[in-house]
Structures are given as structure tokens and as C-alpha cells.
Amino acid sequence: MKISYYLFFFISINLFSQENYDLNYYFGDISNTFNPNIPKPSDFLLNQSEVGSSHVSHDRLVNYMYALAESSNRVSIQNRGTTFEGRPLILLTITSEKNQKNIDELRKNHLSFLNVIKNKFNFYNRPVVLYQGYSIHGNEPSGSNAALLYAYYLAASENDKLKEQLENSIILLDPAFNPDGLQRFANWVNANKSENLNPDSNDREFNENWPKGRTNHYWFDMNRDWLPVQLPESKARINTFHNWYPNVLTDHHEMGTNSTFFYQPGVPSRVNPLTPKKNQELTAKIGKYHERKLSENGSFFYSEEDYDDFYYGKGSTFPDINGGIGILFEQGSSRGHLQESINGNISFPFTIKNQLLTSISSLEASVDLKNELFDYQSNFFNSKKNKENEYIIVSDKIDKSKLYHFHEILRRQKIETKKLKENKVINGINFDKEHSFLIPKNQRNSKLLSAIVNNQTTFKDSLFYDVSAWSFLHSFNLEYSNIKINENLENFEFTKPTGSIISKSDYAYVFSWNDYYTPKALYKLLSNGVKVKVATDKFSINNFNFSYGSILIPVANQDRTSNEINKLIEQISKETGVNFYGFNSSSSDGIDLGSNDFKNINVPKIGLIVGNGINSYDAGEIWHLLDTRYNIPITKLDYNVLSKIDLNKYNTLIFVNGSYTNKNTTDKLKKWVSDGGNLIGFRNAIKWLSKNDFLKIEFIDNKPSPENIKFIDKSKFYGAQLTSGAIFNVE
Ligand SMILES: [Zn+2]
């Protein structure tokens, strides 16, 4: 008895010490020079235990950051909006007390140097600006957890070297780029933590459930959204960026557990050719500071391998086309609290410490190299000007909403646009002034503009991390051309398109299926109980031409009065930008409005198949599109419930890229389809449909992209915009 008692005692001490990380572990001997009036992160964490003993939840992180701002004159805090789940998007601005009092002036001064050639008097005499951001992938948590310690260090350290650095820098600290993902992951990993830390990588703690915490609420990878800026978190970041034009931006990530630590520069042959050489030289110079800090700590690391610096929609590459230096950090992940790896057990605190050390080394390097960073930024914005009279002209004659959203991206990226004064014909393309605008090539963000519209067709390297081509002119399918105009032009303002009723009617309305928001308009009619039909052939009335997929609203034979219908249509046209054409007779060139070639449309009852084995990016994109853009409700159905539920509740089921292997479910789905169900396969799901004889498709080669699929049976397809139209079930 006695012996086992002692043994137990001994083991419990040992386990306890494994978790006993304190500020000394993170800061070494400087930890005794902290201002005692500034709260420590541990004051705000579970059980007041040290950073790293559990994963910080976003609300605790926010509470701590507000407490820091409250107690320190070096720190100010702002909330820049909310995530889809309502979490605040906070930003800390940290600098010396003296600079903090003068912060607006310092910002204006910093920006003024973007537009002028170097001014000898006070060009160098100002703080360098750093934007330091953490854990844009929520399940790469060492970044956000390190941000607690880094913010504490900046606010509380009495170290003379740091005080001098704060005089010479302004730090924009974005402690959680992805609050919703961070929270989702923290819940998982804290809920699966054992009291006795178990490093077995098969443990549930290290194997998150679907959808993982990497992405935001709608399962987007936000580290691809720095260029398109579609998500609330990205809008906040890009605003902060353009508000300050930081000289250095750091982006703290995690990679596989068996890796050590990576910092940029990445693979030299995979740097975007639009990025100046000097950018990579400065990145390497800054790297020397990380090298020193990590070596002193005994941490292994590497650089110039694995990662590229090509797609400007990533946080570490975006600054490279905006006069700054973007730096990617990748820490081998413990994922949970302690995990085995080929390099031995890797603890969460160890990963946090590396992120903290490289946050500090980034600050040291930026202050030391600030004159070079200022020169670089000034040269970036003032070299190789385009000619004043050169423009890109863009147009979309049919879909004004699409053109509007393209313009919205330019606006978010602070790219100027000009109004087209008169219609133009260029290379046989009509650019009419109502549906076109001009983008001056000579403007402050001209290089960012080239990144947005660039057609990169040759590459130094055949390997890529992921995105290699993205020209927005093509992805928006716009008509465009280069043009020279030798006169002053007015700024262009694009207000959100509103549609209208073109000739009021008590008989029938028709609208074309050609605006980005037509599905929204149709769903609103259907959900208000209005009977509508779809054209399965072309027709024209009173010189208005309508194509396949045009929607007919008979005003008679409805459960509502024609007045009510007219009111509803007016409201929908304003909300969606869709034009409604009123007619007083069924007679047309082509199919008449009373023809059986107009088919009734049912209210879609949509199931989106989600869950393990299914691509969450694709599923999330569809959920986001239907829910936030079209206001069409969907039911998210886990694939494994399909065998148990009544599928007849749904008339449309959407299958994205995924693994669908249950034979009983496949048979059940076949029956549901033959009973009239509308099954949509997206990307690779088409292969599964073909393999299981849902429809006959011949693949020209093995890759199912739109160009190499040959449809054998076209009878089921209506209209040109199959993708957005397909969710509506035709009788
Ligand atoms: Zn990442």
C-alpha cells in the first residue's frame, strides 16, 4: 500500500510539471521587468492558468485585449465589425504613449509619403508600420494564443530596447483573423483534452470533426480572400490595410505536426513576377532576425522551401503588391495540447513560443530596417508610371449586378474608376456608357490593379501550392479592352442596380434569366405563393427578345389580386435589379405565353449534402450563395442520415465533391429521382452520378471540367445558366 501511494504521488507531480508553463517559459529572464499594473493573460484564462494550458476561446481573448487597452497607455482598441456568428473583429493599435497621443497625425504623415517622391527633411523620421495577424485558419491556434503574450509584452514590458522600438513603430495587432473558426476549434480541442495529456495522434483530440476550424462560418478559406474581399472578416482586414499601408505584414499559420518551423522567403522560382526583387531581399534580411531568435531558443526551422509567394489573395503575398513586405510563418502543429511527432512530442506551449519569438523578431527587424522599408515603399509607388491617358474599359451589357459586384471589389481595394462619357466601339465590341466604366492605369494602386486583371500564362515553375491564375476580368466574364482617352473624366459612382417594371400589366409579366439576382427574384415570388412558369424555348413580344429559361408570371389565376402582384413585383425589382416586362396578350413570335412549352415551377425544397468525406469549401460556397445572396433556405443534410430520413420532404438535393459510397443510399436516391426528384451534382459528384447510372455522361478524359464533359441526354436542361437555374424544380 505504502509503495503504491508514493508511486502515485511521484507520477502526479511529474504530470503536473508537464503543464507548468509560466511567463518565464515564454520570456526567460525579461519576465521580471513587466509593469505589475498591466493584467496578465492568465488572469483571463480558464482557472487563471498560463497561456498554452488550454486553448483560448475568442470571448476570453477579446476580454483580455479590452483589459489591456484599458490599463495601458500604449494600447488602443477598436471593433471593426462582426463575423457571421456575431463575434467582434477587434484591432489593437500599439505604440509608445507619445505616439499614441498623436496617432491620427502619424497615420496621415505615413500615407502622405506614398504619393510623393522622397522628401529629404522628415522622410525617415517617423515610426515604421507593422500589421501583425494571427490564425486566419482557426485550427492553427498557436498564433492567436501567442497574440495574448505578444500583446502583454508590448503593453507591459519595461525593457528599454522595447520602449525604443515602440517609439519607432506602430503595431496593428489583429489577434484573431478568424474568430468563428478559432472558437469552433477551441471548443473541440478543449472538450477532448484529457487530464493526463496523451500524445497519441490517433486520439480524438487531434482529429477534429467536420467541418474543421480552418474555415469561417460558411466554411470559406479566408486566406484566399485578400484579393476578392467577399467576407466580413476580409473587409475589416483590407480596410485596416488601406488605412495604414503597413511596411510589414506578418501572417502566423501552422502546418503538419512532423514539420518544424517555416518562415518566408519561400521557393524562389514561385514568386509572382509582379513582385519586385527588392521585396524578396528585404524578406530574407528580416529572416535573419527570426533565424537568431529561433536558434537561441533551440527551435529548428527552414526557409526557401515548400511555400510559394504567388497568389495575391493570400495574407503573406497581398502586401507584396502593395508596397509592403508580407511574411508567412508556419509552425508544425501540436493541434491539441501535446502530440507525438517524428521529432518527439510537440507541446502546444512550444508552438506558441515560436510564434511569440517570431512576432518579436519581426518587430525588431522592422525597426532596424525601417529606412530601407520606407525607401522600398516609396520606390514601389513612384516607379514606372503608366501614361495618364491609358485606361481599361470594362462592360457587361446583360448582367448589371455582376458588373456592380466587380466594381465593388475595385472600390474595396481603393482602385479609382472613371465614367465613360459616350458609347465606344473598340475591336468590334460595343461599350455603351450605361453598362461600362473605365479604370485608369495611372493611379496609386496601379500595381494592385495589374494583379487583379493580370493574365499570367507562363510560369517559371510547374509546381504550385494552389492558386496560379485568377484574372477577375475572366472570372467575372466581362468584356474589356485597353483604351486611350485624352480628356479629363469624372469619377464613376456605381449605385447598387435596381430594376423596374417596364410597362405595368394586369395580364402577364416576363423576366429574363440573365441577372446574378434572378434566382433571388424567382424564389421571392414562389415563397409568396405566386404561380410562375419557365420558358423552354425562345420568343419575342413587342421587339423584346426572351431566351430559354425566361420566367412568366400570369397576373390572373393567382391567389392574390393583380394589385398585390404588382406591388410585390415592384418591390422585388427594386431589391434584385431585375426588370419585369408587362404584356397584355399571350401572342408572341415563338412560343405564345399560353403555350404548354411554359412549364410550372415548384417552390424548391433544397437539401445540401454535407458531413464527413464531403468537400466543405464547395458545400459552404453553395450554402453561402443561397442563404446570404439569394435568401433561399436550404436544409444541410448529413450524408449518413439520407438512408434514415424521408427524402420526399425535398424536391432538390445538391451533392458537391465528396465520397458517396453507401449502396443502400444510392438505391434510395435512384428511386427518389425516378419519382421526380431533382438531383444536382457539382464537380466530382458528376463522376459518382455517371458511375452509378443516374445519367449517361461520356468523359473525354478523366477530368470532369465543363469543357470535357459531353452530355448525351440534353432533354433535361433548361436555359443557359444551368448552375443557378437548376435549383428550381420544373414540373
Ligand atoms: Zn494556415
Side-chain angles (χ1 to χ4, degrees), residues 135-140 214 221 223-224 251-255 307 328-330 465:
S135 301
I136 198 163
H137 297 136
N139 61 1
E140 300 173 5
R214 176 182 176 89
D221 185 338
N223 199 34
R224 304 297 179 272
D251 187 21
H252 294 258
H253 289 249
E254 290 184 8
M255 58 182 160
Y307 295 93
L328 172 67
F329 296 109
E330 294 276 356
Y465 192 79

Side-chain angles (χ1 to χ4, degrees), residues 435-641:
H435 300 95
S436 310
F437 61 84
L438 298 155
I439 316 170
K441 287 189 180 178
N442 179 41
Q443 56 175 303
R444 182 168 80 185
N445 290 341
S446 59
K447 286 178 183 157
L448 176 59
L449 172 64
S450 359
I452 288 173
V453 302
N454 190 33
N455 284 330
Q456 190 75 35
T457 52
T458 55
F459 301 90
K460 254 194 196 168
D461 199 327
S462 59
L463 287 176
F464 271 92
Y465 192 79
D466 49 28
V467 186
S468 61
W470 57 83
S471 171
F472 284 35
L473 294 171
H474 295 299
S475 56
F476 275 78
N477 196 20
L478 301 170
E479 292 186 298
Y480 66 95
S481 183
N482 292 315
I483 183 174
K484 285 182 183 167
I485 297 177
N486 293 313
E487 55 184 317
N488 281 335
L489 296 166
E490 268 178 64
N491 287 336
F492 179 64
E493 295 303 329
F494 206 151
T495 46
K496 198 164 195 295
T498 54
S500 57
I501 290 181
I502 317 287
S503 69
K504 207 176 160 199
S505 170
D506 289 330
Y507 185 80
Y509 284 102
V510 176
F511 67 91
S512 292
W513 194 266
N514 57 15
D515 189 277
Y516 179 74
Y517 287 109
T518 35
K520 182 178 180 173
L522 175 55
Y523 185 80
K524 185 126 196 194
L525 288 163
L526 289 168
S527 61
N528 276 280
V530 177
K531 296 185 191 88
V532 291
K533 296 183 174 205
V534 60
T536 62
D537 211 335
K538 297 176 190 175
F539 60 100
S540 59
I541 312 182
N542 303 347
N543 294 324
F544 291 114
N545 298 319
F546 296 98
S547 190
Y548 304 95
S550 295
I551 304 295
L552 166 69
I553 306 137
V555 180
N557 304 329
Q558 302 278 2
D559 298 334
R560 293 165 173 252
T561 64
S562 63
N563 243 351
E564 286 170 337
I565 301 264
N566 267 292
K567 241 182 157 173
L568 180 66
I569 286 177
E570 201 182 323
Q571 186 205 338
I572 293 174
S573 69
K574 283 212 175 92
E575 268 176 32
T576 60
V578 172
N579 287 327
F580 289 75
Y581 296 83
F583 300 108
N584 296 315
S585 162
S586 286
S587 170
S588 90
D589 290 336
I591 53 172
D592 290 332
L593 298 189
S595 161
N596 287 331
D597 286 334
F598 281 93
K599 307 287 183 193
N600 285 353
I601 303 176
N602 297 320
V603 185
K605 291 173 193 136
I606 302 170
L608 172 68
I609 315 307
V610 299
N612 279 324
I614 289 158
N615 185 314
S616 61
Y617 297 135
D618 290 350
E621 187 180 352
I622 290 174
W623 176 26
H624 176 261
L625 176 72
L626 269 55
D627 191 24
T628 73
R629 303 270 162 96
Y630 296 163
N631 297 349
I632 299 177
I634 54 150
T635 305
K636 301 184 291 304
L637 294 167
D638 256 77
Y639 177 65
N640 61 22
V641 306

Side-chain angles (χ1 to χ4, degrees), residues 361-380:
S361 57
S362 300
L363 172 61
E364 287 176 359
S366 304
V367 170
D368 284 359
L369 302 172
K370 89 182 169 85
N371 290 357
E372 270 187 78
L373 291 163
F374 290 150
D375 281 338
Y376 171 72
Q377 190 175 48
S378 170
N379 290 338
F380 182 92

